[in-house]
Amino acid sequence: MNETLERWHSRRAFILAVTGAAVGLGNIWRFPYMTGENGGSAFLLLYILFVVVLGLPMMMAEILIGRAGRRSPMQALAYLANEAGASPHWRWIGLFGALTVFFILSFYSVVSGWSIEYLVDAVNGGFVERTPAQIGSAFDAFLADPLRMTFNHTLFMLLTMSVVAAGVSNGLEKLNNVMMPLLYVILIVLGGYAVTTAGFGAAMAWLFTPNPAAIDLQVVLNAMGHAFFTLAVGACALMAYGAYMPEEQSLPRAVCAVALLDIAVALLSGIAIFSVVFTHGLDPTEGPGLMFVTLPIAFSELPGGQIWLGAFFLLLLVATWTSSINLAEPMVAMLIGAGWRRGRAALLIGALVWAVGLLSVLSFSTLADVHWIGEMNFFALVSTVPPDIFLPIGGLLIAIFAAWRMLPEAAASALGGPAAGFRLWRGVVRYVSIPLTAVVLLSSLI
Ligand code: TRP
């Protein structure tokens, strides 16, 4: 009946797919610069708190809806709402999710394109014997070149949409299976290198010494949004994956494993990046360019740095690829649900996302000073509002549906495990995750 219902041949495949969705630019690129811009430890500790009390339970809510509905997100929501005698309008959460990932993918692809550029540069020896200052100005020159950026953005969208068009393939699962562990190895090597740098102590102090004075509403909102973003929660993207989850698998266990890994990757890259920042007197609040300036410096100081750097960007590319495939899935699943063929749906969505992505490309040159809201240019807008506001709104609605509206038996059996586990999960979602998300959102919107 449904063309999207194919895959996940094993428990391992499901965990890999969700890990692939979770681990990406959010951990390696966005986490460090958000931490830098939001006062270091203040942001870090809130982010971990939000992952545990909001992200994890809501991730379970989202996946269990997909698992109980066994359909594409909008259809699953409609089906479960009907089963519970609730309003059919709950299904619009699926549309809202598709809209959210649309904007997220449009900048995600542009930044992933930066990794393609750096991969090619690294392979060509572009970073040999460069000083930190030269590395910084080369990045600025790249950003100022819309043609090169468009080329990489286009390439990345083609990579993503060709896999989506084919259906999330076995091949990619296997690639992921090999590449992700290698990425962790490189990050651990980088972490080991960070320990030897002069800035390591300062980086650790800055990341881990509690600093309540730096916490304000903006920091809280950003940390909450990032928890959703990094876990890929709040846009029905994991819901789409939940539909293919094997019956016998434990959802809470799978989700906890993914979240732990996700935090570990973020911490390792944060430690590596800030050690370089403090060793070289760079600016932690540098913003989206942070990783692209600090990591080439770090690698250039390692023996065989060129090779490590190339390998790192290759693996990062694979990590972002699996994330972007997940980002595209809710939109494509929605069109398939409306009767489209997968290939056509992928083509249309890909073309639209690509076109809107051009506005992000130009935000680093021609449109840099065109402000859409407040001081924000297009890139600043799409890289903050959809992750930090739309995802929590989506997550909130998903959680309300799962914990208050769905038939409890349906939710419990999709969550799996003992009845006490279900009650604990529902209690946390009802009385902690939902109110906390609502309070943070409301106080930041007022
Ligand atoms: N979690 C991914 C990252 O950290 C991004 C991502 C993938 C995402 N799928 C998503 C974010 C769905 C929101 C919704 O890079």
Side-chain angles (χ1 to χ4, degrees):
M1 156 213 94
N2 192 328
E3 217 185 318
T4 57
L5 286 182
E6 20 166 333
R7 35 193 140 153
W8 317 150
H9 311 102
S10 62
R11 299 171 191 216
R12 205 174 147 64
F14 176 76
I15 299 213
L16 276 174
V18 178
T19 311
V23 176
L25 288 177
N27 309 68
I28 295 167
W29 165 76
R30 194 174 194 265
F31 169 75
Y33 89 78
M34 291 294 280
T35 307
E37 288 181 338
N38 288 279
S41 63
F43 180 85
L44 174 85
L45 299 176
L46 281 170
Y47 147 80
I48 293 181
L49 176 81
F50 285 137
V51 164
V52 175
V53 302
L54 305 181
L56 269 176
M58 289 187 170
M59 200 173 176
M60 294 179 207
E62 185 173 328
I63 297 175
L64 78 78
I65 293 176
R67 194 183 199 184
R70 295 266 174 222
R71 288 164 174 78
S72 74
M74 275 181 92
Q75 295 169 312
L77 287 160
Y79 169 81
L80 296 171
N82 179 42
E83 180 185 71
S87 156
H89 292 307
W90 285 101
R91 72 179 189 285
W92 299 115
I93 301 174
L95 181 65
F96 183 65
L99 210 68
T100 306
V101 288
F102 179 84
F103 288 111
I104 292 181
L105 185 56
S106 77
F107 79 84
Y108 204 91
S109 166
V110 171
V111 178
S112 300
W114 300 352
S115 322
I116 300 183
E117 175 82 12
Y118 270 53
L119 169 62
V120 173
D121 263 14
V123 170
N124 289 333
F127 294 98
V128 182
E129 316 224 320
R130 293 272 195 88
T131 63
Q134 285 169 327
I135 289 175
S137 52
F139 182 62
D140 293 338
F142 168 59
L143 291 184
D145 185 343
L147 272 184
R148 262 160 81 202
M149 282 216 329
T150 302
F151 177 76
N152 291 306
H153 163 53
T154 309
L155 208 60
F156 188 77
M157 279 311 293
L158 286 174
L159 274 177
T160 300
M161 298 323 284
S162 54
V163 176
V164 174
V168 175
S169 75
N170 231 336
L172 194 82
E173 280 170 27
K174 295 213 177 88
L175 183 70
N176 217 10
N177 205 350
V178 183
M179 301 292 244
M180 299 292 274
L182 286 177
L183 179 67
Y184 309 146
V185 171
I186 295 211
L187 283 170
I188 290 169
V189 170
L190 258 186
Y193 153 83
V195 176
T196 68
T197 60
F200 176 70
M204 293 302 277
W206 192 72
L207 283 171
F208 296 107
T209 312
N211 177 14
I215 298 181
D216 60 21
L217 200 58
Q218 194 60 45
V219 173
V220 176
L221 182 73
N222 292 346
M224 183 173 86
H226 188 70
F228 283 87
F229 183 84
T230 191
L231 292 180
V233 168
C236 303
L238 293 182
M239 196 184 289
Y241 281 9
Y244 321 118
M245 192 173 173
E247 306 282 349
E248 70 286 4
Q249 188 161 23
S250 160
L251 174 50
R253 213 181 300 158
V255 162
C256 288
V258 172
L260 267 182
L261 192 67
D262 194 78
I263 293 180
V265 171
L267 286 183
L268 270 176
S269 67
I271 290 169
I273 285 174
F274 287 111
S275 296
V276 177
V277 165
F278 289 113
T279 302
H280 292 276
L282 304 173
D283 178 8
T285 63
E286 144 101 29
L290 188 63
M291 175 194 107
F292 289 90
V293 176
T294 48
L295 288 190
I297 297 175
F299 282 113
S300 71
E301 290 170 353
L302 280 173
Q306 202 61 23
I307 298 168
W308 288 108
L309 188 63
F312 173 81
F313 279 109
L314 179 65
L315 298 169
L316 178 62
L317 193 63
V318 175
T320 61
W321 195 9
T322 52
S323 293
S324 65
I325 289 165
N326 176 252
L327 282 164
E329 190 59 26
M331 298 182 272
V332 171
M334 190 176 79
L335 289 187
I336 292 176
W340 285 59
R341 290 232 210 96
R342 181 169 269 280
R344 290 202 182 172
L347 190 66
L348 176 72
I349 299 287
L352 290 175
V353 171
W354 176 82
V356 172
L358 293 180
L359 290 173
S360 280
V361 166
L362 294 174
S363 296
F364 293 92
S365 45
T366 336
L367 302 182
D369 297 319
V370 177
H371 297 151
W372 293 60
I373 295 183
E375 292 286 282
M376 290 192 277
N377 65 26
F378 190 79
F379 177 82
L381 181 73
V382 286
S383 62
T384 51
V385 173
D388 292 342
I389 311 234
F390 293 3
L391 288 178
I393 293 177
L396 186 64
L397 296 171
I398 290 168
I400 294 174
F401 183 77
W404 289 104
R405 277 288 169 270
M406 256 178 93
L407 287 183
E409 314 80 70
S413 87
L415 185 69
F422 170 70
R423 265 179 267 124
L424 174 67
W425 165 80
R426 196 173 61 174
V428 170
V429 173
R430 281 186 169 179
Y431 304 112
V432 182
S433 316
I434 291 173
L436 188 58
T437 309
V439 166
V440 175
L441 270 175
L442 284 177
S443 46
S444 68
L445 294 178
I446 295 169

